[in-house]
Amino acid sequence: MQKKEELYSGKAKSVFATDNDDFVVLSFRDDTSAFDGEKVELLSRKGMVNNKFNAFIMNYLAENGIPTHFEELLNDTESLVKNMQMMPVECVVRNVASGSLVRRLGVEDGMTLSPPIFELFLKNDALHDPMINEYHIETFGWAKAADITEMKALTFKVNSLLQKLFAEAGMILVDYKLEFGLFKGKVYLGDEFSPDGCRLWDAETRKKLDKDRFRQGLGGVIEAYEEVAHRIGVQL
Ligand code: C5P
């Protein structure tokens, strides 16, 4: 597979064309951003850690019946993935109240959510990723009704699988964000799953092991990502 021109550069990853239209190269950079790109820093090793972390999770999910865009790890910071048409929607599941849910509704941080809460956001930095629902998505044509149903079902299936994976390694999966796309008309999990896009707490101490360390200036960001990777068995 020949890597060709850059197609897109996001806040933490870049996408490159290949000589096969069906596949693109996802390149994980060390750039770390928060607050819609207002806080940006280079954190050494982050690209490598997230690339390998994501490969591990995507493989685990695929082995357990989740269709994903992941094809193969190419090197320390790059992976080959399906060239999907992404849906501009973020699917969030919350098992424990934190972050924007607490700010929005004034509920207690750390409260267990039973049943878990599912939320949808429009992927749009200029509008600060506003919360939306199924009606906005269908009416404005961001995805078809059947594809929204599929995304939601897959997001909950991922929740059962990952809650178990992290619980067995002594962590609580507080919440996470997934993005999906279409490849040859079918819905696949896209983007990445890494501590950049989820909240993970140590089950005993509730120490934050995710991007909240960066958002809140707690330090030890990559060390925490590496600890999570180590605990679930990712080879870095
Ligand atoms: O900020 P909020 O509490 O809504 O985030 C919920 C979850 O989704 C968190 O794990 C956060 O890291 C993730 N998220 C993300 N990218 C966004 C918004 C949220 O990865 N643009």
Side-chain angles (χ1 to χ4, degrees):
M1 191 76 56
Q2 183 87 35
K3 181 176 160 188
K4 297 177 89 176
E5 77 279 6
E6 185 176 89
L7 297 173
Y8 171 79
S9 185
K11 292 194 288 288
K13 297 189 292 300
S14 303
V15 179
F16 294 85
T18 70
D19 50 9
N20 183 335
D21 282 347
D22 280 347
F23 302 103
V24 290
V25 172
L26 209 51
S27 176
F28 290 72
R29 307 195 313 268
D30 286 344
D31 301 76
T32 312
S33 82
F35 313 122
D36 298 325
E38 269 176 41
K39 177 173 177 173
V40 184
E41 273 175 40
L42 273 182
L43 295 182
S44 178
R45 307 196 301 286
K46 198 193 69 134
M48 180 273 291
V49 173
N50 279 3
N51 183 40
K52 293 184 178 176
F53 195 101
N54 177 62
F56 180 95
I57 296 286
M58 290 281 172
N59 278 327
Y60 171 78
L61 294 176
E63 280 162 17
N64 287 283
I66 304 289
T68 89
H69 70 155
F70 184 79
E71 292 285 319
E72 61 172 312
L73 204 56
L74 295 174
N75 54 50
D76 272 4
T77 57
E78 294 179 324
S79 289
L80 189 69
V81 300
K82 294 178 183 72
N83 185 11
M84 298 204 290
Q85 191 191 327
M86 294 302 291
M87 294 183 260
V89 169
E90 300 184 336
C91 297
V92 169
V93 164
R94 301 177 187 273
N95 297 306
V96 175
S98 199
S100 73
L101 179 77
V102 169
R103 289 196 296 276
R104 210 179 320 123
L105 301 181
V107 295
E108 190 192 339
D109 200 300
M111 172 190 176
T112 299
L113 302 170
S114 181
I117 289 175
F118 177 81
E119 294 175 342
L120 291 161
F121 297 89
L122 177 66
K123 201 173 155 65
N124 186 320
D125 274 348
L127 298 176
H128 306 293
D129 295 348
M131 183 185 259
I132 52 175
N133 65 33
E134 284 94 331
Y135 289 85
H136 301 105
I137 300 178
E138 199 184 342
T139 299
F140 296 120
W142 295 319
K144 287 190 295 194
D147 295 338
I148 305 167
T149 305
E150 178 72 0
M151 285 195 282
K152 188 169 170 179
L154 289 172
T155 302
F156 273 112
K157 205 168 161 193
V158 166
N159 196 39
S160 312
L161 293 167
L162 295 189
Q163 267 189 313
K164 182 166 172 285
L165 178 83
F166 290 115
E168 284 170 0
M171 289 171 280
I172 301 168
L173 178 60
V174 171
D175 56 29
Y176 59 91
K177 180 262 306 176
L178 300 180
E179 293 179 29
F180 294 87
L182 294 173
F183 181 72
K184 301 186 194 286
K186 190 178 159 210
V187 176
Y188 288 83
L189 174 61
D191 192 47
E192 71 179 282
F193 190 99
S194 75
D196 264 3
C198 67
R199 290 192 173 92
L200 287 164
W201 295 350
D202 178 85
E204 279 194 9
T205 63
R206 296 214 153 191
K207 179 184 170 188
K208 296 178 196 294
L209 299 168
D210 55 69
K211 196 163 148 183
D212 270 351
R213 300 201 70 80
F214 175 71
R215 294 188 188 99
Q216 298 173 10
L218 299 175
V221 181
I222 299 310
E223 290 76 7
Y225 288 22
E226 286 169 334
E227 181 182 337
V228 177
H230 177 73
R231 284 204 210 178
I232 61 171
V234 181
Q235 297 288 326
L236 296 178

